[in-house]
Each structure stands twice: as structure tokens, then as C-alpha cells.
Amino acid sequence: MGKVLGNRYNNKLTRFILSCIAIISVFFTNFIAAKATIGNSIYEVSSNNINMIREQHKFIIDAPIKFYNDIKRLEQVIDFKFKVPDFFPEGYKVQELQLKKISDKDNVLEIFYGNKDGIRSLQISEQDPSESLKVIENGKSKALENSQVEISKQPMKVGDINGLSVILTTTFPVKKAMENQLSEIKAVNNYFSWKDDGLWYSVEYKSESKSERSSNNSLELSSDDIKNIVKSLKYPEDTKDLNYCIKNLNGGDVEMNIYDRDDIEEAKNALEFDPKFPIRINNNISITNSTARLVGDLNNNKEKACYEINNLYSNKNGSITFTQTANSSVYDEMMKNKYIKINKEGNVEKKIQELRIENNQVFKRSQEGIVPQVNYVWKENNIYYSVIFFVNIENCDEIVKEFMNSKPLE
């Protein structure tokens, strides 16, 4: 289960680091966040009760971009009934499923298909594709100062299929080191958009980058490929040639994001315990992200994998991580040696404090520097807990009490 992390792990780690920078404006790498996954089938849901889904479903953590590993889970949370392609050119596989919030009421489903040469995306939306595609592209490029996104559209026909050619041009100004001037780099993404049963579908068929000195074209889909993609649209339960279930925690995946109660249930099955899940500690401390992930073997038992759950909280110019696991390795080392190794070579030791908080034996370690940290570790009923404060380290002992006294989500 989840034996090889590979490039998927590294890509997800990068995503989490970027999200943490947005929250506390500093870099730390203790934890990762990635994708969400799996749930019960909703194949029987028809368009007649989509409104019921809208009323009944509620996100605990309503992230602007949600990552899923199973199309069935998306069907449970999205507010429109959609189709997906059952064809993509040879070698392409479904790589990732994302639900992107483009306004308070509107979501776009984005599916990424990849092969050895690159990745293509397809968006599904109730809205005008030129508007939704522009919002998505703006979200990707807004971290780069002075980037600009322009959009154009015109009629396009592929075979007997009438649609639109939607072209996004993103301009990135890049400073030359020697001349101290700006040289523009343009990323141009071409989409074919068409309408089916009231929804807009947009498939990326060509992309290129241009600068003053060069132009780089990525793999381009042919007219026949586009036509076959359009004609292959089916409801997810009817697909045969493309697999829209990428894995789940109990089926071999190494991590998942948690957004709603169904995700928590899935995490509980992998964790094999019911985690504490405080949504809010006080007016300044509230949950912003939650991830369940594989951390290794349970107490070095090679036959049994072990997961942990990491919750991230905002904390008035800082952040807090709250970790829970059945793996005792960190606790055991601190209990045995009363120190923790804090560099890669393992030859620097830092003493820890032993405290009693809410009748629990607690190990506490403080670390100064650019990113001040305070780390608490303790054990309750054979579950091991850690709370780490970043940047804002005021009133830590009192706040840890609140985490200790928190309960599983009812």
C-alpha cells in the first residue's frame, strides 16, 4: 500500500508548500497536502435531484481548489451532472481531477490527461468557457508580478461539430540580468469548446511558449483526435476505456485532502482510529487544510502500513499544525533519549522540556530563527499527537490544552 511516492509525491509537496506560503508568508516543509479521494457511488443520481445535492452537501474546508482521485467523489460534491471523454490519444491516462471554485456559486471541473510527452487539460463548466478559462488562468499566474491574461474566441468547426476556438495568451515579463530590461514571454493555450446537454466542455488541443528569440510548441492534438474526444462523451458510469479512479487511501494511494465528512470517514478507515477534528479553537485559530497521508510501517511492522492526519490552522500572522497517528517512532525517541536530532547529519542535539498538561506527559521543544517554532508531542490511548506553532508562538501551552480537549467531528 502506497510503497512508492515518486514524482506525484514531490509535486504534491510543492503544492502544499505554496499554500503555506500564502498563509504565513514563510517556508516550511514538515507536512504535505495533496489530493482528496474516494467515496460511495453516486451513479444512481439523476439531474432531477442535483438541487438536493446542492442543499445537502456541505464542505467543512471549502478550499478554492480541491483535488480528487476518484470521479465518484466528484459526482457527490459537484452541483451539475456531467459527462467525461472515454477517448484520449494512445498513451494518455487520467492524471488528476480538480474542482475549482471560480465564484461563490460557480465551480469548474478540470481533468488532466498525461502521457510521456506532457499533459492536456479539459474543463467542464456551466459558464461561458472564455470567462471560466480566464479565471482559471488568472489563478495560475497571479503569483507572478505584472503577468497579464488576454482571451479571444471565434467559431470553430471540427468535422460536423460546431464550437468555439478559445485562445488564452498569458504574458510574463522577465527581467534580463545584464541589460536590466524586460523581455516578454508569452504562453499561448488553445482550447476547443463545445456544448453538450447544457454544459460547456473545453479541451486543450495546442499550447506554445514564445519569446523574442524562440518559440516552443508542445504536442498538438489533431482534428481527428478532437473529434473523437467530443464524440466519446459519456456519463462516468458508462466509460470503458479511460479509468477515472486514480486510487484511494485503502487501495494504494499515499495521501488525500479532506474537505467533507465523507473524506473524514475515508481517512478514519485508513487511520484505524477516529481523529480529533477541531474546526475552530478561538477567533484567531481556525482550520484551513487537512491531509491524511502514509507515513510508513506501524512501529516497524512491515506487514502493516500506518497513516497520519495533519490539520493546518491559521493563527494571527502564524500557523499551527496538528498531527495524529498510531506510529510512535517520534514519541519513543523523545521518551528514550530526551532530545531530538535537528540536522541532517544527526549530530546536533537539543534538549526538550517535560511538562504535565491536562494530566498528559508532554514533550516540548522550542526553536528560534527566521521561522520560530514550538513543538508539543504527547500520547493518549495509544494515539500520538503533535502540535507545532510557526511564527506566532504566544500562549502555546494554553492553546495546546484546547487541542487536547477537542473531540472527533460528530
Side-chain angles (χ1 to χ4, degrees):
M1 182 189 302
K3 293 181 179 178
V4 180
L5 305 188
N7 291 333
R8 289 182 61 208
Y9 183 96
N10 294 328
N11 292 337
K12 296 173 187 175
L13 176 59
T14 300
R15 264 203 312 265
F16 180 65
I17 291 169
L18 292 175
S19 69
C20 293
I21 290 173
I23 295 169
I24 66 173
S25 300
V26 294
F27 175 87
F28 62 89
T29 60
N30 287 354
F31 305 101
I32 65 173
K35 301 176 181 178
T37 184
I38 169 157
N40 298 321
S41 173
I42 194 173
Y43 286 157
E44 69 275 9
V45 172
S46 68
S47 57
N48 292 331
N49 47 21
I50 289 295
N51 288 334
M52 185 181 300
I53 294 176
R54 293 182 180 182
E55 292 298 322
Q56 291 181 348
H57 187 83
K58 183 178 181 180
F59 290 111
I60 298 168
I61 303 171
D62 194 7
I65 302 178
K66 303 177 182 69
F67 301 91
Y68 290 89
N69 284 352
D70 193 335
I71 203 75
K72 298 177 186 178
R73 285 290 292 118
L74 270 166
E75 288 184 294
Q76 291 179 314
V77 303
I78 205 165
D79 55 4
F80 51 80
K81 186 170 176 62
F82 58 88
K83 299 176 183 177
V84 292
D86 199 24
F87 167 85
F88 235 77
E90 186 176 357
Y92 279 89
K93 295 181 179 180
V94 180
Q95 299 287 333
E96 191 164 83
L97 308 171
Q98 295 184 12
L99 183 62
K100 296 187 172 180
K101 189 174 182 179
I102 61 173
S103 73
D104 288 340
K105 296 182 179 179
D106 299 319
N107 289 297
V108 172
L109 169 56
E110 188 164 25
I111 305 173
F112 295 88
Y113 304 83
N115 67 4
K116 61 182 178 63
D117 297 315
I119 293 179
R120 290 274 174 266
S121 65
L122 180 141
Q123 290 84 19
I124 306 172
S125 171
E126 295 178 297
Q127 309 304 316
D128 183 312
S130 61
E131 294 303 318
S132 58
L133 287 169
K134 187 174 182 179
V135 170
I136 290 173
E137 189 62 29
N138 273 322
K140 294 176 182 176
S141 60
K142 67 181 179 181
L144 297 175
E145 187 177 0
N146 297 325
S147 62
Q148 295 181 343
V149 179
E150 297 177 351
I151 193 161
S152 64
K153 63 180 179 179
Q154 60 186 24
M156 179 176 175
K157 189 170 185 177
V158 178
D160 60 349
I161 304 160
N162 292 308
L164 297 172
S165 171
V166 181
I167 301 175
L168 289 173
T169 303
T170 307
T171 303
F172 304 97
V174 178
K175 189 175 241 185
K176 293 181 178 178
M178 299 301 294
E179 296 88 349
N180 196 30
Q181 295 176 352
L182 294 181
S183 175
E184 290 183 346
I185 294 178
K186 294 182 181 289
V188 183
N189 300 92
N190 298 259
Y191 295 85
F192 178 65
S193 299
W194 75 100
K195 207 166 189 179
D196 185 286
D197 285 347
L199 295 180
W200 281 101
Y201 295 78
S202 301
V203 62
E204 182 183 16
Y205 66 89
K206 181 182 177 182
S207 61
E208 58 183 330
S209 61
K210 301 177 181 179
S211 67
E212 291 178 353
R213 298 181 179 179
S214 65
S215 178
N216 179 34
N217 294 327
S218 66
L219 187 65
E220 182 175 355
L221 296 179
S222 67
S223 294
D224 284 343
D225 285 336
I226 298 172
K227 181 175 64 176
N228 289 332
I229 290 170
V230 174
K231 290 185 175 296
S232 74
L233 280 190
K234 298 175 182 177
Y235 290 111
E237 65 267 31
D238 298 324
T239 56
K240 297 179 180 178
D241 296 325
L242 285 177
N243 181 15
Y244 285 87
C245 179
I246 305 169
K247 283 184 182 178
N248 57 64
L249 282 183
N250 289 315
D253 206 5
V254 296
E255 58 198 359
M256 64 174 283
N257 266 0
I258 294 171
Y259 305 112
D260 57 29
R261 292 177 184 274
D262 288 337
D263 295 329
I264 292 176
E265 289 300 315
E266 176 65 20
K268 282 167 57 176
N269 291 334
L271 293 165
E272 297 188 352
F273 65 87
D274 196 356
K276 299 179 180 183
F277 208 91
I279 301 300
R280 181 180 296 275
I281 298 297
N282 57 39
N283 289 335
N284 294 320
I285 300 174
S286 58
I287 194 167
T288 60
N289 187 281
S290 180
T291 308
R293 68 184 183 103
L294 181 71
V295 291
D297 303 310
L298 181 60
N299 300 328
N300 298 316
N301 178 357
K302 301 300 182 181
E303 301 299 320
K304 190 173 180 60
C306 183
Y307 286 81
E308 71 180 20
I309 184 168
N310 299 320
N311 289 358
L312 179 66
Y313 296 80
S314 60
N315 182 30
K316 196 178 180 181
N317 302 321
S319 69
I320 301 171
T321 57
F322 179 35
T323 304
Q324 304 165 71
T325 181
N327 188 310
S328 66
S329 56
V330 174
Y331 180 91
D332 290 344
E333 181 180 1
M334 297 175 77
M335 170 71 80
K336 178 181 178 180
N337 299 315
K338 301 298 188 290
Y339 69 85
I340 188 165
K341 297 174 182 178
I342 60 173
N343 73 351
K344 292 181 179 179
E345 292 73 25
N347 56 13
V348 175
E349 301 174 2
K350 186 173 181 67
K351 293 291 184 181
I352 62 174
Q353 295 177 257
E354 291 186 62
L355 309 174
R356 299 295 298 184
I357 301 178
E358 298 294 273
N359 206 32
N360 292 307
Q361 181 184 27
V362 180
F363 299 114
K364 177 181 177 181
R365 177 175 65 90
S366 300
Q367 179 176 317
E368 299 179 353
I370 297 175
V371 183
Q373 300 178 26
V374 180
N375 185 2
Y376 296 79
V377 177
W378 73 95
K379 173 184 176 181
E380 295 179 45
N381 300 319
N382 293 321
I383 304 301
Y384 301 87
Y385 299 86
S386 170
V387 175
I388 306 178
F389 295 79
F390 295 93
V391 182
N392 183 358
I393 56 175
E394 297 179 357
N395 303 318
C396 293
D397 288 2
E398 292 302 314
I399 295 172
V400 166
K401 289 181 183 179
E402 299 297 326
F403 282 100
M404 284 184 176
N405 293 325
S406 63
K407 304 294 182 183
L409 196 65
E410 295 181 355

